[in-house]
Amino acid sequence: MARRGNPSSVINANMTPMIDVTFLLIVFFVVVSQIVDRDAVFMNLPAPSQAVAGIPDNQSRVVVNVVPLEHGDVAGIVVAGHTIAWDSMHELSDIVETRLRGGATEVHLRADRTTKYSYVHQVIEAIRAAGLNPRLQLVIEGEQP
Amino acid sequence: MIVRRRKAGTIGVNLTSMIDVVFLLLIYFMVATEFKTAEESFPMDLPLRDYRQTIQLDSEPLVIFVESAGDKKSDFRVRLDGPWDPVSSIEELVLFLRSNKAGRFGASGLFTETHPILIRPTKETRWGHTIAAYNAVVRAKYVNITLDEPS
């Protein structure tokens, strides 16, 4: 049977809703990628069961990252965009002191859950050596929603 | 005069190239975006240390030793210094601290809320285990907690 139809008609998909949704997604990702926390180095933070910690204030803080290696050792420290070698701990005190004098009130300490306490304790002592009586926040992994 | 009619046609913008670019942008941002994980924290004051002065503790602190046996969450041991019954887990530590807290009905009341608690990990203790012990003391609602030098 011969198929009847208008040979000159063009079949088009309506692209308008797809473009709408795509633009919405782009705007979403553009906005979200700007608010990613750039101070945080990826690591497995401690996650104690039934944690009673609070959500820290993200204003006026300086984040100290103790970058982990395998077997509980430490590669170095990342603070405010600076990478500090483990044997130049006085630099950490200097940077933290500068930030505290610049208006920061809290120091966030991020260390991997497998890092040995002897390293973390040295970092705490270096932050204390910066003076100015800062409030330290021991950062842990938040509850997953 | 002869008026010539144009053949009816569809005037449209070619969207193909724009959609190509838009999808490229979308894929770029989807791959490049790194979502921030939820974080919480324990606040801790760092008092200025003056080596000329000796810190006088009001009462004998309760010392909690923390030792790690491995990297896993449960690979650690807590031990109390003093004539206390041994605690074998974090839950038992919380129970001990709560049941010996003063100022509550039904509590024997050895320690006040501000009683100094000293958490003393070893050099090899994992940070996650130290924080687990710290969390246990906070759960029992004590406020005077010190992370001691590694033993």
Side-chain angles (χ1 to χ4, degrees):
Chain A
M1 186 178 156
R3 202 170 176 183
R4 289 184 183 178
N6 189 357
S8 64
S9 64
V10 181
I11 300 171
N12 277 328
N14 188 7
M15 305 293 275
T16 317
M18 193 192 69
I19 294 172
D20 286 350
V21 172
T22 310
F23 268 111
L24 275 178
L25 283 171
I26 283 189
V27 170
F28 168 75
F29 280 109
V30 168
V31 171
V32 163
S33 64
Q34 293 299 312
I35 61 169
V36 168
D37 191 1
R38 290 179 188 141
D39 291 333
V41 175
F42 176 76
M43 63 180 78
N44 292 316
L45 292 169
S49 49
Q50 300 183 47
V52 287
I55 296 170
D57 181 14
N58 284 338
Q59 302 297 319
S60 61
R61 63 172 184 168
V62 50
V63 182
V64 177
N65 296 279
V66 184
V67 184
L69 276 180
E70 288 183 352
H71 309 299
D73 291 327
V74 170
I77 298 164
V78 174
V79 52
H82 300 271
T83 303
I84 301 170
W86 185 253
D87 52 356
S88 42
M89 194 65 83
H90 61 279
E91 284 183 37
L92 172 64
S93 299
D94 294 343
I95 292 171
V96 170
E97 185 182 351
T98 309
R99 286 300 178 110
L100 290 172
R101 290 195 189 282
T105 54
E106 291 187 344
V107 180
H108 288 214
L109 176 61
R110 300 178 81 254
D112 192 274
R113 64 183 69 159
T114 59
T115 300
K116 290 175 186 168
Y117 177 70
S118 54
Y119 293 113
V120 182
H121 184 260
Q122 287 181 58
V123 173
I124 294 175
E125 286 301 316
I127 295 168
R128 189 205 301 274
L132 304 172
N133 210 4
R135 167 161 282 203
L136 189 67
Q137 298 277 1
L138 309 176
V139 180
I140 64 166
E141 193 176 286
E143 295 281 331
Q144 296 300 322
Chain B
M1 188 177 151
I2 300 169
V3 178
R4 288 187 179 173
R5 279 192 170 179
R6 275 191 169 180
K7 196 179 175 184
T10 310
I11 302 171
V13 183
N14 188 7
L15 292 173
T16 315
S17 51
M18 191 191 73
I19 292 171
D20 285 349
V21 173
V22 165
F23 269 110
L24 275 178
L25 281 172
L26 181 62
I27 290 167
Y28 167 74
F29 281 111
M30 282 176 71
V31 172
T33 303
E34 189 180 334
F35 288 99
K36 183 187 172 188
T37 52
E39 290 181 356
E40 296 175 359
S41 67
F42 294 105
M44 191 174 138
D45 287 323
L46 286 181
L48 293 172
R49 179 173 287 175
D50 190 348
Y51 288 98
R52 289 167 299 182
Q53 295 177 351
T54 310
I55 300 169
Q56 295 286 330
L57 293 172
D58 294 335
S59 51
E60 190 71 21
L62 176 68
V63 182
I64 302 170
F65 293 96
V66 189
E67 295 168 24
S68 294
D71 285 346
K72 288 183 185 169
K73 200 171 180 179
S74 56
D75 286 349
F76 73 107
R77 196 165 71 96
V78 285
R79 186 165 54 87
L80 294 170
D81 185 34
W84 317 108
D85 291 335
V87 289
S88 60
S89 66
I90 281 293
E91 288 307 316
E92 284 188 25
L93 176 64
V94 175
L95 200 65
F96 168 82
L97 291 169
R98 280 183 180 158
S99 59
N100 284 295
K101 199 170 177 190
R104 293 177 60 212
F105 291 107
S108 46
L110 287 169
F111 309 123
T112 60
E113 189 183 64
T114 56
H115 189 90
I117 310 271
L118 220 62
I119 296 175
R120 186 174 292 163
T122 64
K123 286 180 180 173
E124 302 292 314
T125 302
R126 303 292 187 248
W127 178 237
H129 299 154
T130 309
I131 287 291
Y134 193 97
N135 182 57
V137 182
V138 177
R139 272 174 66 193
K141 295 189 171 61
Y142 288 84
V143 294
N144 190 358
I145 313 165
T146 306
L147 284 177
D148 202 9
E149 290 186 12
S151 58

